[in-house]
Amino acid sequence: MTTPPLPAPVFARLARLSPAPDGLTTLRSALHARRLLLLKALLVRVHRNRASVEPGALGRFERSWELLERVERRRPAVVRDVLDYPTTGAWLAGALAEPAGPAFDGLLGHLDHLAVTAALRAGGALDVTVETPDGLLSLPGVGRLSVAAERVRVTAGEPAVRFHPDGARQAAPAVLTRSGRHRGVLVGRGPGWRAVRPLHGGAACLDDVDPYRVPSGAGGTVVVAADPAETDHAAWTGTWRAAHHLLARTHPGRAAEVSHGVRAVVPVLRRGPRHVGATLSAAPGAVLTSLPADGLGMAETLVHELHHSKLATLHELVPLYGPGPGALYRVGWRSDPRPLAGVLHGAYAHLALAELWRRTASADGVPPLWRRAAGQQFDDIHDQVGAALRILLESDELTVEGREFVRQMRLHHASLGTAPLAAG
């Protein structure tokens, strides 16, 4: 699959932070093309180095690949949705970076879980046995089953899915039910089952169970996954709803973009008293965050991290800067000097925050405390982003496209300081 060239108007709208649907659609197509490329690279690596892969792991990988192909021929949209889920990208990045050996063989086993997830969501009969060396069966975007066994047989009819630890004839108490025939929805219940929780108003879910939600190293950002047993689902859901209502009131287009562009909200631990927010370049659409204090904090985190994801995906499609290392620069929102890529990412994400704060400060129906805080933050960050944009335009590390992208960003930045924004 190839991605068509990015039209100039879409490129300009993305640079100006427009939430127009054509931008998100283009980025999703680019993400899917990239995901297929990485998956094919993993297949090629396995086939070229068959002798170095443990025979059992090789056989399971090939069977899972065949299952995924069969499901794709029947329900391509379901397979696409599973492959494009953020944690699939994190798994692929980890597998491709792992040297040959037992750890690599273990990573290959996750294709079992991806293929089974797609097959279950697609519907129809299924009878497969999946290795679960850690006693966990992970269904990305759906949930996780603790089976306390090294393998589990998965049988599916219509509509029930049952699990047989170590192939036992007697099924485990946990069961999944398939619903939403065209969307492939799976609903689970019973001991050992922990679901990924859907969040109100869009594609997002609260994912505190996927094994690849916070990979080790996490792109250089030190974040630690929160313990699922300590996740206050009511608090997360309430804060998400408050953020969604704020965005819908101040910028309906941005609210829609967040609802459709954020696939997973991943709870992580705070760093001391500090709130933590992060994204992974390998997993666009996932927002790693500690629980914000309120709806404004959640809205800020979602908007900020979504724009990191958008820029990471766009840069894969249209390179905006050359490979480092290059010079380091000081920016107002960080105490440490940043490479040019960091300056661009920070400027883009903070420009989105500046727009959010400007709209929040002038919108009706927003709590006065939030309006005052937003106005103060806008004044600070608007100047800081302006300084970063000057750094970017004076650098020779940007590509031709990157320089045009920053010029368009500067136009939007100028409009925030001079033209009033409509609350809607």
Side-chain angles (χ1 to χ4, degrees), residues 357 361 369-382:
W357 290 327
L369 184 62
W370 288 6
R371 292 182 64 171
R372 288 194 296 272
Q376 292 168 357
Q377 296 202 74
F378 171 79
D379 289 340
D380 291 338
I381 207 64
H382 187 265

Side-chain angles (χ1 to χ4, degrees), residues 58-333:
L58 177 62
R60 290 189 295 273
F61 180 83
E62 291 180 334
R63 287 193 296 273
S64 297
W65 189 280
E66 291 171 0
L67 175 59
L68 204 58
E69 285 186 325
R70 290 200 303 273
V71 177
E72 200 275 339
R73 286 193 292 269
R74 185 163 55 93
R75 294 290 301 279
V78 168
V79 173
R80 176 172 182 154
D81 197 55
V82 172
L83 294 183
D84 291 355
Y85 190 67
T87 58
T88 302
W91 163 69
L92 276 169
L96 288 168
E98 186 67 34
F104 176 71
D105 296 346
L107 285 168
L108 291 181
H110 189 61
L111 189 66
D112 261 356
H113 297 197
L114 291 171
V116 167
T117 301
L120 292 178
R121 288 186 52 188
L126 184 69
D127 189 341
V128 296
T129 298
V130 181
E131 297 292 316
T132 54
D134 53 1
L136 296 173
L137 173 63
S138 174
L139 303 180
V142 179
R144 183 184 75 186
L145 178 69
S146 176
V147 292
E150 293 188 353
R151 63 190 60 82
V152 61
R153 180 185 172 202
V154 182
T155 60
E158 289 295 347
V161 179
R162 299 191 180 277
F163 307 100
H164 306 258
D166 282 325
R169 180 171 298 180
Q170 184 68 31
V175 63
L176 295 183
T177 302
R178 297 192 285 208
S179 62
R181 186 174 185 85
H182 297 293
R183 295 184 297 119
V185 176
L186 297 170
V187 179
R189 65 183 186 276
W193 174 255
R194 187 176 289 272
V196 166
R197 306 290 186 99
L199 291 168
H200 165 76
C205 63
L206 184 67
D207 192 341
D208 58 350
V209 299
D210 194 286
Y212 296 96
R213 66 193 186 280
V214 184
S216 59
T221 301
V222 180
V223 290
V224 179
D227 185 343
E230 297 178 2
T231 302
D232 185 340
H233 293 101
W236 280 93
T237 299
T239 306
W240 168 272
R241 283 180 178 270
H244 182 78
H245 290 156
L246 173 67
L247 291 172
R249 181 173 292 277
T250 60
H251 196 343
R254 188 72 71 218
E257 183 184 50
V258 167
S259 293
H260 294 94
V262 175
R263 292 287 307 276
V265 175
V266 177
V268 300
L269 298 179
R270 297 179 73 89
R271 193 176 299 135
R274 294 175 52 200
H275 171 66
V276 174
T279 51
L280 305 175
S281 60
V287 174
L288 285 60
T289 178
S290 56
L291 180 62
D294 53 28
L296 177 59
M298 176 65 88
E300 292 169 350
T301 299
L302 293 172
V303 169
H304 182 95
E305 301 304 337
L306 176 60
H307 281 80
H308 279 305
S309 282
K310 288 167 62 178
L311 192 62
T313 305
L314 178 63
H315 178 64
E316 293 284 354
L317 179 62
V318 181
L320 302 174
Y321 47 85
L328 297 178
Y329 306 91
R330 293 282 181 182
V331 291
W333 54 82

